[in-house]
Amino acid sequence: MADEVRTGVPRRGPTISDVASRAGVDRAVVSRILNDDPRLRIKPSTRERVLAVVAELGYQPNAAARSLRTARTRTIALLVPDFENPAYGQIIKGAETAATKADSALLTASMELGEESFEHYAKQLGNGRVDGLLLAGGGITGTREEHLDRLGPPWLCVNRTGPGKRRYVVLDDERATELAVSHLLELGHTRVAFLSGPADSDTAERRRLGYIAAMEAANLDPGFVAHGDYTADGGAAGMQQILAAKRRHTAVLVANVASAVGALYAARQAGVHVPDDMSVISIHDLSIAAFLDPPLTTVRMSLSGLGARAVDLLLTRPRNEEIREVLEQPIDLIIRESTAPPRR
Amino acid sequence: MADEVRTGVPRRGPTISDVASRAGVDRAVVSRILNDDPRLRIKPSTRERVLAVVAELGYQPNAAARSLRTARTRTIALLVPDFENPAYGQIIKGAETAATKADSALLTASMELGEESFEHYAKQLGNGRVDGLLLAGGGITGTREEHLDRLGPPWLCVNRTGPGKRRYVVLDDERATELAVSHLLELGHTRVAFLSGPADSDTAERRRLGYIAAMEAANLDPGFVAHGDYTADGGAAGMQQILAAKRRHTAVLVANVASAVGALYAARQAGVHVPDDMSVISIHDLSIAAFLDPPLTTVRMSLSGLGARAVDLLLTRPRNEEIREVLEQPIDLIIRESTAPPRR
DNA sequence: GACCTCTGGTCAATCGATTGATCACGGTTC
DNA sequence: GAACCGTGATCAATCGATTGACCAGAGGTC
């Protein structure tokens, strides 16, 4: 048992019986009124009397009792790898809005990749705590999938896919990278490097593929690919590799904004001027991008839209149906000052 | 009633009765074993048999049933104004860790300041959904406090205080600003401006007071105070005001990192070199601070520590006890390259 | 007057776990 | 052989809401 907690006696609010007796009706009547039971035939005056008592007492149906009876919790969980990353903040925001519309609450938790952490959440979320599970971020291997399936609630991966995955929603990262590359090519660049995310990240891989496809479509050789880790630190290290590569590049496509912050820093340290010596463009747009030095050109996709769509899919699709969705949404190029034509 | 949701039949897992009958004991035995009831006297062999069945079936006690019976949910809610702000991310992280240690889950929600939003959460969280409520961010006025009290669960403000508030935990913002100011004074600055947060923000006000106290303690006149809004946009605008002020300043203390990003941008735009023409220091340290141009000197406080402490207080203090705590924790000056002695 | 229908409700089982009260039984004590 | 004790459990009420089944009475129909 956990540490004893002494927050005093938990106070219970008024119950449906309180409302019923005060209004002089059966509990069933109260329940049916509040749930808009279509089979209920009742005098308008009785209905009003009941609603008046509900308002007077401030009655709220007890969530535990309700979900015990109905086997639904009106809560869904969203596991993210890192709350400090504003990109996940956007996903959470969108998910929350959608959950609210569906009259549900959102339970968020951060899941690191460790085994204990996974076990912990499996325990917390098992059996009746949530109606469904959204997994943003990686680490969902085959054995874990089975574990999740045994857990009970339906689940869905957000912005992660993979060969064996049956249920996921992702952004159209390939189209985003193609848009970024074509911007660079239109400016006249031909030697474009790619600063990727972690090697095991699925979004990073999809962005890499989009980059390669776009380069090859233009009959250009793909350039250097450096691996970062989606942090400013990793972005700085990746940029150093690119600057040290045998082949000189005139532009870099960076896989996310945090990495781009690091990449710009490393360029500055190396005395490489952006955009005159080197153009930098990033996938995703965050509010700080406009205030970097120089202001960062980005490709904007709606992460909040992704979060919202994930919730909708989770709540409306049958539990075992396959879901393999690439989100269709506008993808915009936000041109700022970190990209320019290459100096000849 | 909300939109009909058709995620198929909710699946129920094995119940305590399944375990009991399979192990050939009463349900009470299973319950007491799993809850370590000290009054339970039982044969070791029976205990093992029961635990074996629990493991075999993957039994998890149903959360709804348990909390219906015990009137405890082992869930606490944390309301934040903005998930995209990494500072709140840190608070969430700390709160989650502490909640996990107390064997509870953390339900997060973003609350905007609007009235509807408040009503909505009041409804969602009323009556038995959570054991307690943590409110990070503002907007808790007198009438809302009463509303919260009627709601049932105990609540606590995080990083917000105010004259009438009875229950809060805050960081020692005054000490942090004093540390920042004394760093600037030691470098030789005498004309130090303050770039604040929103006018109605309580942390911004405490930081302003700390700044004024520190200036006066050194027998210096406080300088210009510009109001931002804790975003990069607001920070840029604030910096412009400071640069346009009649009095010339040689240093600026900025109330948070997001504002500092904007302030550095505005200085750059105005051709003002940091730190040679103007030193900039910020309260709070975020991972991007080291990669800004120039790398930003900051004062570091542990927001995750704040989140964790808030959870502990909420769970362990009696529901009506006053809590007015200024968190004691190390506050560190992280000297980077945005501060330097003033040019004579 | 027997039968039916409609209105406006009521009754009671049920969801799954917890917990205070109770009990059967073998052994010990006096 | 009656009373008592400790061991190792069991019994049953309870938490609060939901929901299928049922029902009383008024009015209408043949």
Side-chain angles (χ1 to χ4, degrees):
Chain A
M1 195 130 62
D3 300 342
E4 198 42 47
V5 165
R6 353 162 237 115
T7 172
V9 194
R11 225 177 54 190
R12 302 217 197 219
T15 73
I16 199 169
S17 297
D18 298 336
V19 174
S21 65
R22 213 159 210 279
V25 295
D26 191 86
R27 308 196 316 279
V29 172
V30 179
S31 174
R32 287 186 227 262
I33 288 180
L34 293 180
N35 291 295
D36 280 336
D37 185 333
R39 282 167 312 203
L40 175 66
R41 306 272 72 218
I42 208 170
K43 272 198 284 197
S45 66
T46 309
R47 176 190 300 268
E48 276 161 34
R49 188 156 34 91
V50 169
L51 290 176
V53 173
V54 165
E56 181 194 351
L57 299 183
Y59 168 71
Q60 291 274 126
N62 179 292
R66 169 177 272 184
S67 72
L68 174 58
R69 181 64 232 250
T70 61
R72 300 220 30 228
T73 60
R74 302 207 158 277
T75 311
I76 70 172
L78 170 59
L79 299 189
V80 300
D82 182 11
F83 280 115
E84 268 184 80
N85 183 335
Y88 288 110
Q90 292 187 16
I91 293 180
I92 294 175
K93 229 177 230 182
E96 196 190 12
T97 306
T100 299
K101 269 195 199 121
D103 206 19
S104 291
L106 186 69
L107 182 77
T108 56
S110 65
M111 182 175 65
E112 284 119 45
L113 293 173
E115 202 56 47
E116 353 60 58
S117 156
F118 182 81
E119 295 284 337
H120 174 75
Y121 287 110
K123 193 163 276 178
Q124 275 283 352
L125 303 172
N127 223 339
R129 237 186 145 81
V130 297
D131 294 337
L133 214 49
L134 251 28
L135 301 148
I140 306 306
T141 60
T143 54
R144 285 185 175 185
E145 289 191 11
E146 284 169 30
H147 193 145
L148 285 170
D149 284 335
R150 256 178 290 124
L151 216 54
W155 54 276
L156 174 65
C157 287
V158 182
N159 218 14
R160 299 288 178 233
T161 172
K165 291 260 184 304
R166 294 187 62 247
R167 291 164 62 95
Y168 59 80
V169 221
V170 293
L171 290 172
D172 197 344
D173 287 292
E174 304 213 359
R175 192 150 64 85
T177 43
E178 281 165 21
L179 189 60
V181 169
S182 67
H183 169 61
L184 295 173
L185 299 187
E186 277 165 23
L187 286 171
H189 294 275
T190 54
R191 296 191 307 281
V192 177
F194 181 62
L195 204 173
S196 184
D200 59 351
S201 156
D202 170 65
T203 52
E205 177 60 10
R206 292 205 310 284
R207 288 169 200 169
R208 192 180 66 81
L209 293 176
Y211 152 78
I212 289 175
M215 291 296 281
E216 289 180 343
N219 281 319
L220 292 170
D221 284 340
F224 191 82
V225 173
H227 274 281
D229 58 1
Y230 281 165
T231 70
D233 251 312
M239 187 60 142
Q240 280 161 12
Q241 289 177 33
I242 290 169
L243 294 174
K246 274 156 296 188
R247 190 174 178 203
R248 307 282 322 217
H249 297 85
T250 61
V252 182
L253 167 57
V254 186
N256 78 341
V257 174
S259 298
V261 170
L264 291 178
Y265 172 82
R268 220 157 31 232
Q269 292 291 308
V272 171
H273 188 270
V274 176
D276 293 342
D277 300 330
M278 173 84 87
S279 284
V280 174
I281 185 171
S282 165
I283 305 295
H284 282 322
D285 190 57
L286 294 183
S287 48
I288 60 162
F291 297 93
L292 296 178
D293 180 24
L296 187 66
T297 296
T298 63
V299 173
R300 183 173 59 201
M301 294 188 279
S302 171
L303 285 163
S304 62
L306 177 67
R309 180 67 178 152
V311 167
D312 288 342
L313 287 170
L314 186 66
L315 289 179
T316 59
R317 294 296 176 82
R319 61 176 307 125
N320 280 319
E321 189 175 278
E322 285 201 355
I323 301 177
R324 302 172 193 251
E325 178 163 319
V326 176
L327 203 58
E328 278 190 51
Q329 58 166 18
I331 298 185
D332 302 311
L333 182 65
I334 314 288
I335 300 177
R336 298 200 181 92
E337 297 165 33
S338 67
T339 49
R343 274 208 292 230
R344 326 115 291 103
Chain B
M1 193 128 64
D3 300 342
E4 197 43 47
V5 166
R6 353 160 237 115
T7 172
V9 194
R11 226 177 53 191
R12 302 216 196 220
T15 73
I16 199 170
S17 298
D18 297 336
V19 175
S21 65
R22 213 159 209 279
V25 296
D26 191 86
R27 308 196 315 282
V29 173
V30 179
S31 174
R32 288 186 226 262
I33 288 179
L34 293 179
N35 292 295
D36 280 336
D37 185 332
R39 283 168 310 204
L40 174 66
R41 307 271 71 219
I42 208 169
K43 272 197 284 195
S45 66
T46 308
R47 175 188 300 267
E48 275 162 33
R49 187 155 36 91
V50 168
L51 290 176
V53 174
V54 165
E56 181 194 352
L57 298 183
Y59 168 72
Q60 292 274 124
N62 179 292
R66 168 178 273 186
S67 71
L68 174 58
R69 180 65 231 250
T70 61
R72 300 220 31 227
T73 60
R74 302 207 158 274
T75 308
I76 70 175
L78 170 58
L79 299 190
V80 300
D82 182 12
F83 281 115
E84 270 184 77
N85 183 334
Y88 288 110
Q90 291 186 15
I91 292 181
I92 295 175
K93 230 178 230 182
E96 197 191 10
T97 306
T100 299
K101 270 195 199 120
D103 207 20
S104 291
L106 186 70
L107 182 77
T108 57
S110 64
M111 183 176 64
E112 283 118 46
L113 293 175
E115 203 57 48
E116 354 60 57
S117 157
F118 182 80
E119 294 285 338
H120 174 75
Y121 287 110
K123 193 163 276 178
Q124 275 283 350
L125 303 172
N127 223 338
R129 239 188 144 79
V130 297
D131 293 337
L133 213 49
L134 252 26
L135 301 148
I140 306 305
T141 60
T143 54
R144 286 186 174 186
E145 289 191 10
E146 282 168 32
H147 193 147
L148 285 170
D149 284 335
R150 255 179 290 123
L151 214 56
W155 54 277
L156 174 64
C157 286
V158 183
N159 218 14
R160 299 289 176 226
T161 171
K165 291 259 185 304
R166 295 186 62 247
R167 291 164 62 95
Y168 60 79
V169 221
V170 293
L171 290 173
D172 196 344
D173 286 293
E174 302 212 1
R175 192 150 64 87
T177 44
E178 281 165 21
L179 189 61
V181 170
S182 68
H183 170 60
L184 295 174
L185 300 187
E186 276 165 23
L187 286 171
H189 294 275
T190 54
R191 298 191 305 282
V192 177
F194 181 62
L195 205 173
S196 184
D200 59 351
S201 157
D202 170 64
T203 51
E205 178 59 10
R206 291 205 311 283
R207 287 169 200 170
R208 190 181 67 81
L209 293 177
Y211 152 77
I212 289 175
M215 292 296 281
E216 290 180 344
N219 282 318
L220 291 170
D221 284 339
F224 190 83
V225 173
H227 273 282
D229 58 0
Y230 281 165
T231 71
D233 251 312
M239 187 60 144
Q240 281 162 11
Q241 289 178 32
I242 290 169
L243 293 175
K246 273 156 298 189
R247 189 174 179 205
R248 307 282 321 218
H249 297 85
T250 61
V252 183
L253 167 56
V254 186
N256 78 340
V257 173
S259 298
V261 170
L264 291 178
Y265 172 82
R268 217 153 37 227
Q269 293 291 307
V272 171
H273 188 269
V274 177
D276 293 342
D277 300 329
M278 174 84 88
S279 284
V280 174
I281 185 171
S282 164
I283 304 295
H284 282 321
D285 189 57
L286 294 183
S287 49
I288 61 162
F291 297 93
L292 297 177
D293 180 24
L296 186 66
T297 295
T298 63
V299 174
R300 183 173 60 200
M301 293 187 281
S302 172
L303 285 164
S304 61
L306 178 68
R309 179 66 180 154
V311 167
D312 288 342
L313 287 171
L314 186 66
L315 289 180
T316 60
R317 295 294 176 83
R319 62 176 307 125
N320 280 320
E321 188 176 278
E322 283 201 357
I323 301 177
R324 302 172 192 252
E325 177 163 320
V326 177
L327 203 59
E328 278 189 50
Q329 58 165 19
I331 298 185
D332 302 311
L333 182 66
I334 313 288
I335 300 177
R336 297 201 180 92
E337 297 165 33
S338 67
T339 48
R343 274 209 293 231
R344 305 126 291 98

